Amino acid sequence: MRTEKPAIMGWEITRVCNLTCPHCYSAATRKARNELNTAESLEIIEAAKELGIRKIAWTGGEPLLRADLEQLISSAAERGIKSAITTNGVLLDRKRARNLKKIGVRVIQISIDGSTALRNYKIRRATEEEFNKALEAVRICKELGFEVGMAMLIGEENLDDAHDYIKLAAKMKADCVRFCGFVPFGRGKGQNHRLGFSKRKADLKKLILKYCGWDKPIVAFDPAFGPLPPHYYFHECEAGKTMFYLSCEGNVYPCTSLLEKEYIVWNVRKRSLFDIWNDPKMTEFADMPVESITGFCRTCKHLRTCHGACRGVTKCHTGNRNDSFPVCLYRIDARRKNL
């Protein structure tokens, strides 16, 4: 039996969504299929408590489309488990936000992919009305005292909108901006030509250098960008060590970056969460030695501090988890072209 206890469980509570974003990592749909029901979900929450989970990050799809979401969050809160929600914000009106605040939710991330309705539409295919509803959700949540993050996916097509997006977030008094890097998975597999970084890595590096450490609001770049300049440190892999991910169908993965079928550890309908956590497959990626990484990473002076960056993201981009990290910014001269 392992001595490590997971702190966070990411939970795709539904794959149903009211939007159909072209880059959707989970390939969200309009109709529920084989999703965990309320009774099963309540049993999982009890098992999560016994396992030592301290926080559930509720995702989708669109989690607000689960009619029992408040019931599940309340059950988690009764067991001392905190909740954070990632939503597109379209359904988050004042009444729903008040209910979530009442049952203990304090952190909400709202995904908006542009500084204007038109820029948002080009990436997310959301209407102007949906864009305005998402912004209104940010306003409401701030008024009610939530910690609010705004998340934007950026790629080559919309990199030039990042500055205006930060200005918008500051105007909305958001606590944080999270820039999400494009990963070709789910419905996003066909979006490489728009969102994959092949020609504008130097511009991306300039953006990161400008906003790393920014606190008006806080600007963060997710693991899809890899080790960030100027220090090129990347956290050690936590997949299956401090966290895991549960799909709406009950499949357990070590991390949100490892959602291909081959990385399913087990299904909670067939095996207990405790046994799944103690399965050796859970830590396979986190225990992967850096010596197994091939290509330019092997001779890089930063390898011992960046650890080759995220292996799951690497696998999605290249098809081989042992390849060098494809979006590495250390190899980019921001004044010229790729080195």
Side-chain angles (χ1 to χ4, degrees):
M1 188 173 69
R2 298 171 56 184
T3 57
E4 298 129 319
K5 297 290 185 181
I8 300 174
M9 177 171 73
W11 193 344
E12 178 198 53
I13 193 60
T14 182
R15 202 166 295 154
V16 178
C17 191
N18 51 326
L19 299 181
T20 53
C21 305
H23 59 270
C24 181
Y25 190 79
S26 64
T29 64
R30 294 289 191 179
K31 186 177 180 180
R33 295 182 179 87
N34 196 32
E35 294 188 351
L36 295 164
N37 60 34
T38 302
E40 290 173 316
S41 298
L42 291 172
E43 289 180 3
I44 290 167
I45 291 169
E46 180 61 31
K49 174 201 170 186
E50 297 301 321
L51 200 56
I53 292 292
R54 299 195 298 271
K55 180 179 179 180
I56 296 175
W58 305 89
T59 70
E62 173 48 58
L64 297 184
L65 284 171
R66 278 284 298 225
D68 60 356
L69 181 65
E70 281 84 350
Q71 180 183 355
L72 300 180
I73 291 174
S74 294
S75 177
E78 289 167 3
R79 289 158 177 77
I81 302 174
K82 296 180 179 179
S83 289
I85 298 174
T86 295
T87 172
N88 60 43
V90 175
L91 303 174
L92 191 54
D93 57 19
R94 188 172 296 274
K95 180 180 178 180
R96 195 78 187 268
R98 281 176 174 164
N99 288 340
L100 292 172
K101 184 73 180 296
K102 184 177 180 180
I103 59 177
V105 178
R106 294 293 179 269
V107 180
I108 289 182
Q109 177 177 282
I110 298 175
S111 299
I112 303 171
D113 288 332
S115 63
T116 66
L118 180 58
R119 297 305 300 255
N120 185 58
Y121 174 79
K122 287 181 177 179
I123 301 300
R124 183 161 279 256
R125 297 296 184 262
T127 65
E128 182 175 359
E129 180 183 6
E130 289 165 337
F131 173 76
N132 290 330
K133 284 183 177 180
L135 286 184
E136 181 63 16
V138 174
R139 292 190 190 95
I140 290 169
C141 289
K142 284 302 300 179
E143 288 176 9
L144 294 177
F146 286 93
E147 180 182 328
V148 181
M150 289 173 58
M152 174 187 178
L153 180 115
I154 52 173
E156 287 192 352
E157 183 177 284
N158 66 334
L159 181 61
D160 60 339
D161 192 35
H163 303 287
D164 288 338
Y165 189 87
I166 292 172
K167 292 178 182 177
L168 172 65
K171 179 181 177 181
M172 303 297 299
K173 299 181 181 179
D175 298 281
C176 174
V177 166
R178 179 177 181 239
F179 286 122
C180 305
F182 169 70
V183 180
F185 190 76
R187 197 153 54 238
K189 283 185 178 180
Q191 302 298 312
N192 297 62
H193 63 292
R194 301 172 57 227
L195 300 173
F197 282 101
S198 59
K199 300 176 183 177
R200 300 191 63 187
K201 290 180 184 176
D203 294 331
L204 174 63
K205 185 171 182 177
K206 290 176 184 176
L207 176 76
I208 291 174
L209 283 168
K210 178 174 182 177
Y211 289 110
C212 266
W214 195 269
D215 61 358
K216 306 175 285 189
I218 294 169
V219 175
F221 295 85
D222 80 3
F225 295 106
L228 303 179
H231 304 296
Y232 298 99
Y233 168 80
F234 194 79
H235 61 79
E236 292 190 32
C237 183
E238 297 296 325
K241 290 201 167 183
T242 64
M243 61 168 292
F244 62 88
Y245 188 71
L246 176 64
S247 80
C248 62
E249 300 162 336
N251 292 325
V252 175
Y253 303 81
C255 178
T256 56
S257 295
L258 303 169
L259 299 186
E260 294 181 338
K261 289 183 179 180
E262 62 188 289
Y263 303 126
I264 297 172
V265 180
W266 214 268
N267 189 288
V268 292
R269 284 171 166 153
K270 300 178 180 179
R271 197 177 183 192
S272 74
L273 200 56
F274 178 86
D275 288 341
I276 294 173
W277 175 252
N278 285 284
D279 191 299
K281 191 174 180 181
M282 186 67 85
T283 58
E284 181 182 327
F285 261 74
D287 292 336
M288 179 180 165
V290 294
E291 290 78 13
S292 64
I293 299 174
T294 61
F296 57 80
C297 280
R298 288 291 294 274
T299 58
C300 179
K301 69 178 183 179
H302 293 291
L303 182 59
R304 294 295 166 181
T305 54
C306 92
H307 317 290
C310 180
R311 295 291 90 202
V313 171
T314 299
K315 175 67 162 55
C316 288
H317 277 286
T318 71
N320 184 352
R321 69 177 186 175
N322 294 323
D323 280 348
S324 291
F325 189 71
V327 197
C328 177
L329 297 176
Y330 173 63
R331 303 178 72 241
I332 304 300
D333 186 336
R335 298 165 300 178
R336 295 191 292 272
K337 297 180 180 180
N338 296 14
L339 295 176

